[in-house]
Amino acid sequence: MKTLYRIILALTSGLILSTAWFEWGSGLLLLIALVPLLVLEDDITRSGRDKKAWLVYTYICLSQLAWNLAATWWIYHASFAGLLAALVISVFFMAVPFGLYSLTKRLFGRLTGYMSLILFWLAFEFAFNHGEISWPWLSLGNGFLFSIKLVQWYEVTGIFGGTLWVLLVNVLLYELLRKYRLERSVRKHKKLLLALLILIFVPISASLIRYYTYTEKKDPREVVVVQPNIDPYKKFEAMPSDEQTRIQIRLAAEKITESTDYVVCPETSISNNIQIGHFDRVWDLDTVKQFVQNHPHAKYVVGIMCWQRYPKGVTTKTSKPLEKSDRQYDTFNSAIQIDSSGEIPIYHKSMLVTGVEKMPYTWLFKPLKDLMVDLGGIFRSHGTMEERVVFQAPDDDIRIAPVICYESVFGEFVGDFVREGADYIFVITNDGWWDNTPGHRQHNALSSLRAIETRRSIARSANTGISCFINQRGDVTQQLGWWDRGALRESINANDKLTFYVQYGDVIGRFGFYAGIVLLLLLGLRLVFPFIFKGRGR
């Protein structure tokens, strides 16, 4: 019976957490979602025969599994192995903070334990955002993706402010419930109740005020976004790249006017692997150039697949040997801008999908590199860029951020483009891999958080999925839905002001990371040298 009770608590928490990632759910549910886990942990540690952190960790893994599976089951449409990898890594990695919390609480006491849960969770989320293996999709702060009116203060804190808010509310709520269960009275704990109410309602009130009073500076540019709706599993082989380009040009032509400033097309729209330095020899680009000549005011931003050959003896971390040659080359998933200037600036996607576009920790797997390459394995990685590149308009002072697909999930990364001078964010993507599931809707909604963090208008062009316009408050103002072919036109406002978050990035996450390391060292010292610390936690 005790085991069933604990399983129910673990599953309840995981399922409540998952609801925030669905349009019918709410980020507010995150404010109570961890309470069952805190009850579970306390139940285990108070039972005399079960005082072991590993048992807490086991049940937390079950909760994490329920959360991850319920919220991201759709990954299997692209790769069943990818779903398994995401589940294994996320479940076992993000269950660690709760295991460490349980251990810290028993060794140092309840108050230090609560503090450790917050710091360890922030630390592990930060590592998951900035590590070689990165999967921040289910960061607690991202759970407000469909509740943007509640988190307009992300322009100051980013998603780590949301994570901190969720953790603090859950801890205070649990502590209040725990004391009420012991004493059957709330009156004795009025201050705690007041603190909880303030913590819940002040951020919400401030956000709602900011949402309804925020006004955009009028500085419009007309943008057309194209959604060609080409089956992602056929576009690289079954349909020639030039045919795809003709489809996109035709769709753009239906919406373009003399006032159009930008036409935005999806990720990998031109997929015939162009060699960098030979852009003048490609039919697709000639077609686009002719289109731009007919509409000289417009700038055409499009995703391409390309590669670069290096001089003899030059290598990079991601370069591969060129067949029948002593040279190396890199492949890239990139974005370019074609305009009346004749110059073609290029940006290479640099936040790559682990296991699909890059192999993490290559130093660890380096001895297996030759074997994997010989077998056509997964060691290959696309090349990247160290800096963020923004595209400048030749006839205007406007600059745009060419954010490619997965990059739009990372707040600080997108903020780097804005620090480089971007007045707009253009997200180009291909979300058709996941079929008509919550995946493409979640990915689109995450762009709304980026709009709030940066206060930049967003034009989003998807091969298929959702193509849309998002204003600086995070509202979707116009969109094309799943499996619709077409184009949209809208005038959206530029912004050159930098938010606090853009200027300083993930300050809260970074503080949690380093403070978590210090706390982990203290925990290690307590385990190795118990005589250093007097007493024992309760």
Side-chain angles (χ1 to χ4, degrees), residues 83-211:
L83 174 62
L84 290 179
L87 288 176
V88 170
I89 294 170
S90 296
V91 167
F92 290 102
F93 186 72
M94 285 309 300
V96 172
F98 238 100
L100 291 174
Y101 151 69
S102 181
L103 183 59
T104 304
K105 190 187 75 169
R106 288 190 286 113
L107 294 177
F108 291 100
R110 188 172 295 276
L111 181 61
T112 304
Y114 289 154
M115 182 181 68
S116 75
L117 175 61
I118 294 169
L119 293 177
F120 285 140
W121 195 293
L122 287 170
F124 275 72
E125 270 199 7
F126 183 82
F128 226 177
N129 270 261
H130 295 81
E132 278 278 305
I133 297 177
S134 52
W135 178 241
W137 203 279
L138 297 185
S139 293
L140 288 176
N142 275 334
F144 295 92
L145 71 173
F146 293 114
S147 305
I148 58 169
K149 292 181 181 180
L150 303 179
V151 290
Q152 292 294 306
W153 36 269
Y154 274 17
E155 64 181 333
V156 176
T157 70
I159 65 165
F160 285 99
T163 295
L164 179 61
W165 186 40
V166 169
L167 292 169
L168 285 170
V169 171
N170 273 275
V171 165
L172 284 183
L173 178 58
Y174 168 70
E175 182 63 10
L176 184 64
L177 292 173
R178 187 185 71 85
K179 289 185 174 181
Y180 174 78
R181 189 170 60 176
L182 291 174
E183 302 175 10
R184 298 296 176 184
S185 173
V186 177
R187 292 182 179 179
K188 295 181 180 180
H189 308 290
K190 290 181 180 179
K191 290 182 179 179
L192 183 59
L193 177 60
L194 179 61
L196 178 62
L197 293 175
I198 290 173
L199 186 59
I200 293 174
F201 290 107
V202 167
I204 292 175
S205 300
S207 182
L208 291 173
I209 292 170
R210 181 62 169 157
Y211 177 84

Side-chain angles (χ1 to χ4, degrees), residues 254-400:
E254 293 174 358
K255 291 291 184 179
I256 198 169
T257 70
E258 292 183 357
S259 302
T260 299
D261 293 277
Y262 286 95
V263 173
V264 189
C265 291
E267 176 188 22
T268 65
S269 289
I270 299 175
S271 57
N272 52 359
N273 261 335
I274 307 170
Q275 184 179 356
I276 294 176
H278 298 271
F279 286 174
D280 56 340
R281 307 177 188 178
V282 182
W283 185 92
D284 304 60
L285 293 185
D286 289 341
T287 304
V288 175
K289 289 175 183 176
Q290 183 60 52
F291 179 79
V292 171
Q293 285 180 7
N294 295 335
H295 305 88
H297 183 62
K299 281 72 68 178
Y300 196 99
V301 177
V302 62
I304 68 170
M305 297 296 294
C306 58
W307 65 284
Q308 182 172 7
R309 179 172 59 185
Y310 298 116
K312 184 177 180 180
V314 175
T315 63
T316 69
K317 292 189 294 185
T318 55
S319 62
K320 285 79 65 175
L322 193 60
E323 188 176 357
K324 298 179 181 180
S325 172
D326 56 357
R327 296 184 179 184
Q328 299 262 319
Y329 77 103
D330 262 322
T331 58
F332 302 95
N333 181 351
S334 307
I336 59 173
Q337 177 175 292
I338 300 174
D339 53 49
S340 58
S341 71
E343 300 293 326
I344 303 182
I346 188 168
Y347 166 71
H348 302 312
K349 182 179 181 182
S350 299
M351 188 61 74
L352 304 176
V353 180
T354 303
V356 177
E357 296 177 310
K358 74 170 181 179
M359 166 64 75
Y361 304 112
T362 52
W363 57 270
L364 181 62
F365 298 104
K366 192 171 183 179
L368 300 178
K369 180 175 182 179
D370 292 337
L371 175 62
M372 289 184 172
V373 171
D374 289 342
L375 296 177
I378 60 172
F379 202 90
R380 291 165 59 105
S381 295
H382 283 314
T384 60
M385 303 183 83
E386 290 296 326
E387 68 283 351
R388 307 286 74 80
V389 173
V390 295
F391 295 163
Q392 172 82 51
D395 57 350
D396 198 348
D397 59 354
I398 291 297
R399 297 178 180 182
I400 65 101

Side-chain angles (χ1 to χ4, degrees), residues 34-90:
L34 298 178
V35 171
L37 292 184
L38 291 164
V39 172
L40 169 65
E41 188 279 334
D42 206 39
D43 178 69
I44 291 174
T45 54
R46 284 189 297 107
S47 58
R49 59 188 179 85
D50 286 335
K51 288 188 177 180
K52 291 186 178 178
W54 66 264
L55 189 59
V56 174
Y57 181 75
T58 301
Y59 281 105
I60 301 304
C61 282
L62 177 62
S63 179
Q64 286 280 333
L65 179 62
W67 175 18
N68 280 260
L69 194 56
T72 62
W73 59 269
W74 42 264
I75 297 174
Y76 91 89
H77 279 284
S79 169
F80 183 70
L83 174 62
L84 290 179
L87 288 176
V88 170
I89 294 170
S90 296

Side-chain angles (χ1 to χ4, degrees), residues 387-443:
E387 68 283 351
R388 307 286 74 80
V389 173
V390 295
F391 295 163
Q392 172 82 51
D395 57 350
D396 198 348
D397 59 354
I398 291 297
R399 297 178 180 182
I400 65 101
V403 178
I404 304 176
C405 193
Y406 189 51
E407 294 180 332
S408 65
V409 181
F410 298 84
E412 191 172 59
F413 187 92
V414 173
D416 289 341
F417 285 102
V418 178
R419 277 198 302 277
E420 291 297 320
D423 304 288
Y424 290 110
I425 296 171
F426 291 173
V427 176
I428 61 174
T429 186
N430 184 3
D431 291 346
W433 308 104
W434 310 315
D435 209 346
N436 189 13
T437 66
H440 74 275
R441 293 188 287 274
Q442 292 172 7
H443 193 200

Side-chain angles (χ1 to χ4, degrees), residues 449-508:
L449 299 183
R450 307 293 85 83
I452 295 167
E453 291 164 348
T454 61
R455 294 301 182 190
R456 292 298 185 269
S457 301
I458 295 179
R460 191 175 193 273
S461 173
N463 171 51
T464 193
I466 297 176
S467 296
C468 66
F469 293 103
I470 302 173
N471 66 22
Q472 294 169 24
R473 297 188 307 179
D475 299 310
V476 175
T477 56
Q478 192 182 170
Q479 73 174 41
L480 280 168
W482 170 261
W483 218 249
D484 288 336
R485 174 175 286 180
L488 300 171
R489 181 180 66 242
E490 187 167 316
S491 290
I492 57 177
N493 287 315
N495 187 13
D496 60 358
K497 303 298 182 183
L498 299 185
T499 64
F500 182 91
Y501 178 72
V502 166
Q503 294 181 71
Y504 299 103
D506 292 326
V507 174
I508 294 174

